Amino acid sequence: MRLRPLLAILCGTASLLAGSAGAVDLLRATLSNPTAYIPPQCYTKTEDAAGRAHNPCQTCHTRSRAPHYINDQDLQLSFAFPAPALKNPWSNLFVDRRAAVAATDPEELRAWVAQDNYRGPDGRPALAAKLARPPADWDADGDGRWSGYVPDAWFDFDDEGFDRAPDGSLSGWRAFAYQPLPGTFWPANGSTDDVMIRLPAAYREDAAGRPDRRIYALNLAITEALIRRADVPIAPTDEAALGVDLDRDGRLGTATRVAFAFAPLQGITMRWVGRAGSLAASEAPLAAGLYPLGTEFLHSVRYLDPRPEGVGMAPRMKELRYMKKTRWLSYFDRMDGALAEAKERHDFPDRIALFFGDAETGISNGSGWRLQGFIEDAAGELRPQSFEETVFCMGCHGGIGVNDDDTLAFPRKLGADAFRGGWYHWTQKGLPGTPDLIRADGEGDYVHYLRTNGAGDEFRSNAELIRAWLGDGGLSEARAEAIRADVAPLLLPSPERALALNAAYREIVREQSFTRGRDATIEPQDATVWREVDQDRPTGLAEAAEPWYPRGRR
């Protein structure tokens, strides 16, 4: 059930060693956990004391869809860990925090999570000011300046989800709503979060190079169609003014949808609009299942905020995560990398992944993206993640079957029938009223997860959710029907549990023990988590579950 080694062990090593100061730093680095890219959830016991099998593994390890060629559904059936990862390094899972949680003053904790640690007193991103003159221990290459991502989102969204600066200009970031990935990513298990996307400037400008939000919205719709591999509705658009047949009806009229079409061997493809549409294919490549070169994602992970009207997103951030697509890999490149990885896994099953980069500029995932992040220091202020803390992020981006171009949230974006077409931030509308994602087999994704996992998280530690939704007889049809219409009652914890989860996580912050795990567990997880894994032990599952998206969908 482990994550297989990522493509970083296969791509770009020679050039990095030849010319990258970050690579030199890496060679000097020593990780306390050399397999930090294998997350704690992979150590779960998939059989309970009664011998019943549980399948949380399907969330990540599944049959992929091209041009993602990992196809790691076999990891639902076996604990195929490399030898260095057999002993569970995530010791925070076995810490008893019940006394610390009980001793926490609820009002003090409420005040803590209500503090905004992203903005400074002037209302601007506090990190941007600090990074203008980075402290020496943040400056990985010692040149006196910050060479990585500088937080530039304002978290002030208009009614189309576009982020605005104080002067009213657009930062380029656009928030979208999505069905959170089952398990750890549910607020019921410890955190709220949000995701924003930003395309490069050429995709945000008209043909003359002037900023144009209408053009930008259309290019985002084209991106959505490419990732969904499906048509995407749009506001009525004059195609003649753009010179692009968006709906592919053979004429330049008024389009109300972006029609998905990608069969390049037959000469069938799509086009960007605005300035991006006039760029050479090498500058603005386009392919089904892939984001434009230069695409960025920003993802804040936050505390839970128990309010009288319900649990919501707290102002205080636990983390701010960033990734940027810095290299274009063709279908052939990606398939070649996946095949080489499969051979590596077969020939050297105990070889672990290597990663290149540093805490300042981020780490390459080996398949075109660079990732970096910021996390709380002991006082609760955001700081750059260490190299090892960033390697942890690699587990979810690039090496698992469920990825679409190494991402998780955007493929699950709410569609045109949702509030504002799914383009909004959770502070503008919360989870209530969000329907379950419907799988290719017609079943709700969350309903399927509850029934095949028998719990609402990988560790089966969320007793509150189990009592409320599964009881002794499993998920009833009435409860399943309720989830299909509105996932919020399932995904949001009680105010009491939200406070307990906040208190448990803050203990990890105070210890700065993220390299030992950052899950907000309250009780030791010995009953459901392995301290040491037996490579030859089966997971107890008879067959691998199918993915939520259609098989073979292009």
Side-chain angles (χ1 to χ4, degrees), residues 100-116 303-306 314-316 376 378-380 498-500 502-507 509-510:
V101 169
T104 300
D105 178 355
E107 293 310 311
E108 182 273 331
L109 186 59
R110 289 177 191 274
W112 170 266
V113 303
Q115 294 172 357
D116 185 346
Y303 287 84
L304 299 159
D305 187 8
R316 175 172 289 277
E376 286 179 287
L499 284 171
N502 284 342
Y505 181 81
R506 191 170 64 168
E507 292 301 304
V509 172
R510 288 170 168 172

Side-chain angles (χ1 to χ4, degrees), residues 320-487:
L320 184 66
R321 300 171 176 177
Y322 171 80
M323 62 187 293
K324 181 175 182 177
K325 188 168 187 175
T326 58
R327 187 158 55 102
W328 180 268
L329 296 182
S330 68
Y331 280 24
F332 174 81
D333 295 331
R334 297 179 70 88
M335 179 175 285
D336 189 52
L339 292 173
E341 182 183 343
K343 185 178 187 303
E344 177 89 6
R345 180 185 175 201
H346 176 272
D347 294 349
F348 305 101
D350 291 329
R351 183 175 288 176
I352 65 174
L354 301 178
F355 300 92
F356 296 89
D358 55 49
E360 181 177 354
T361 59
I363 301 177
S364 169
N365 75 346
S367 51
W369 295 85
R370 182 162 288 268
L371 284 73
Q372 68 178 131
F374 305 88
I375 200 164
E376 286 179 287
D377 63 19
E381 299 301 317
L382 293 172
R383 62 162 175 82
Q385 287 191 149
S386 69
F387 181 86
E388 181 168 342
E389 289 165 347
T390 307
V391 169
F392 170 83
C393 302
M394 296 295 160
C396 291
H397 296 283
I400 52 178
V402 75
N403 284 157
D404 265 309
D405 200 358
D406 304 348
T407 67
L408 297 165
F410 197 72
R412 301 174 66 92
K413 176 189 169 293
L414 302 186
D417 56 345
F419 177 70
R420 294 178 177 171
W423 292 107
Y424 62 91
H425 190 260
W426 295 121
T427 54
Q428 297 176 298
K429 179 188 179 301
L431 275 170
T434 302
D436 197 355
L437 182 153
I438 303 302
R439 296 163 48 88
D441 58 13
E443 188 174 24
D445 194 38
Y446 293 174
V447 170
H448 174 85
Y449 180 78
L450 291 174
R451 285 178 168 163
T452 54
N453 184 38
D457 67 316
E458 292 85 353
F459 306 138
R460 304 193 297 282
S461 62
N462 189 340
E464 178 179 88
L465 185 150
I466 291 173
R467 285 194 303 270
W469 293 91
L470 297 173
D472 295 328
L475 185 70
S476 68
E477 277 302 319
R479 289 193 179 103
E481 192 60 34
I483 293 170
R484 291 187 184 102
D486 186 359
V487 301

Side-chain angles (χ1 to χ4, degrees), residues 98-149:
R98 285 174 289 190
V101 169
T104 300
D105 178 355
E107 293 310 311
E108 182 273 331
L109 186 59
R110 289 177 191 274
W112 170 266
V113 303
Q115 294 172 357
D116 185 346
N117 60 346
Y118 179 77
R119 295 178 179 85
D122 61 357
R124 297 177 176 274
L127 271 169
K130 292 180 182 178
L131 294 172
R133 294 185 178 179
D137 58 345
W138 291 11
D139 185 14
D141 57 11
D143 66 352
R145 63 186 182 87
W146 181 257
S147 303
Y149 169 68

Side-chain angles (χ1 to χ4, degrees), residues 185-258:
F185 294 91
W186 287 354
N189 297 319
S191 304
T192 55
D193 65 354
D194 57 18
V195 184
M196 292 174 281
I197 186 173
R198 179 164 65 186
L199 302 185
Y203 299 83
R204 310 197 301 260
E205 298 171 350
D206 65 16
R210 296 169 300 215
D212 189 320
R213 63 186 292 150
R214 178 181 60 101
I215 292 292
Y216 189 19
L218 287 171
N219 279 325
L220 283 168
I222 294 168
T223 301
E224 185 176 353
L226 290 169
I227 297 299
R228 286 182 179 272
R229 288 81 150 174
D231 295 357
V232 171
I234 56 175
T237 300
D238 180 6
E239 294 175 317
L242 300 171
V244 178
D245 184 9
L246 292 169
D247 58 12
R248 300 188 62 81
D249 66 353
R251 61 187 182 87
L252 296 180
T254 299
T256 57
R257 66 187 176 101
V258 169

